Amino acid sequence: MKKFFAVMLSLMLTVLTFASCQSTDKTNSTTNSDPGTNNTGKKYKVAIVQLADNGAFTEMRESFIQEMRTLGYDEAQMIFDIKNAQGDQSNLKTIVSKFKAEKPKLICAIATPAAQAAANEIKDIPIVGTAITDYTSAKLVQNDERPGGNVTGVSDFAAMDAQMELAAKLIPQAKHVGLIYCASEVNSE
């Protein structure tokens, strides 16, 4: 639970950092107290890369956009550039390369492979990840206490022992238990 709160704090700090980056235009000396607007009329790009098209990832994407709106960053101030890799690693590389060239203010990476592709290619743009179990094992951060770099986000870690205890309570007659996971993702291990 302590780890979850640390990650959530990191996410909020990233959003606050993003907010502070908005009013950096030196040509306009007036200030605007609303963090969701800027004085130049310029819209800021938020890039979203989603590994695949499935209900969970789509819900995470929509929740991220809704939370940005709740914080005062809506389509009047932002352009949400949403890309879906359709489960293809080569598509991730192409999408991330495009984002690197376009230099959005923030990247939201949905799923471990999307975050890894972004983090491997981009070092100077904040990356917020979701649908990632272990940021350290995925080599996205140095460690949970001191992540370093430009990656933060939320974890979907669920303790295996708690899952097995629940399964035993729900189906006490079960003699064998199978587990489906993706062997190509380090988080699945």
Side-chain angles (χ1 to χ4, degrees):
M1 198 59 145
K2 187 175 169 182
K3 180 178 173 181
F4 172 77
F5 287 117
V7 172
M8 288 303 293
L9 178 62
S10 295
L11 176 61
M12 293 311 298
L13 289 173
T14 299
V15 170
L16 290 173
T17 300
F18 175 70
S20 70
C21 293
Q22 289 209 37
S23 296
T24 58
D25 182 16
K26 306 282 188 223
T27 62
N28 193 337
S29 60
T30 61
T31 58
N32 188 330
S33 61
D34 181 0
T37 63
N38 63 69
N39 296 323
T40 64
K42 178 180 178 182
K43 290 188 177 188
Y44 296 99
K45 182 183 282 191
V46 173
I48 302 173
V49 56
Q50 183 173 327
L51 172 63
D53 193 21
N54 71 41
F57 293 164
T58 299
E59 188 173 322
M60 288 174 203
R61 180 191 73 221
E62 294 305 313
S63 294
F64 173 80
I65 292 169
Q66 183 56 48
E67 188 60 25
M68 292 295 286
R69 289 178 182 139
T70 300
L71 292 170
Y73 305 104
D74 62 17
E75 285 80 354
Q77 298 86 29
M78 316 299 278
I79 297 170
F80 294 101
D81 186 2
I82 302 166
K83 302 293 183 214
N84 188 322
Q86 301 299 325
D88 186 331
Q89 294 284 348
S90 63
N91 287 347
L92 283 175
K93 177 113 174 96
T94 302
I95 291 167
V96 167
S97 293
K98 178 181 180 287
F99 287 163
K100 182 178 181 179
E102 293 175 349
K103 299 211 176 290
K105 291 289 183 184
L106 179 72
I107 296 171
C108 176
I110 303 171
T112 303
Q116 288 171 321
N120 288 339
E121 182 86 16
I122 300 170
K123 305 297 183 199
D124 59 344
I125 299 169
I127 300 168
V128 176
T130 186
I132 300 166
T133 304
D134 186 342
Y135 284 75
T136 305
S137 294
K139 299 187 179 3
L140 293 167
V141 300
Q142 293 171 10
N143 61 61
D144 291 337
E145 290 75 32
R146 295 193 166 271
N150 62 324
V151 179
T152 190
V154 294
S155 172
D156 60 5
F157 176 77
M160 186 56 66
D161 55 347
Q163 292 181 55
M164 290 294 104
E165 286 176 25
L166 179 60
K169 287 178 185 175
L170 294 174
I171 312 168
Q173 69 278 14
K175 298 207 186 307
H176 301 283
V177 176
L179 180 65
I180 300 171
Y181 72 100
C182 180
S184 66
E185 289 188 27
V186 68
N187 285 341
S188 294
E189 294 174 11

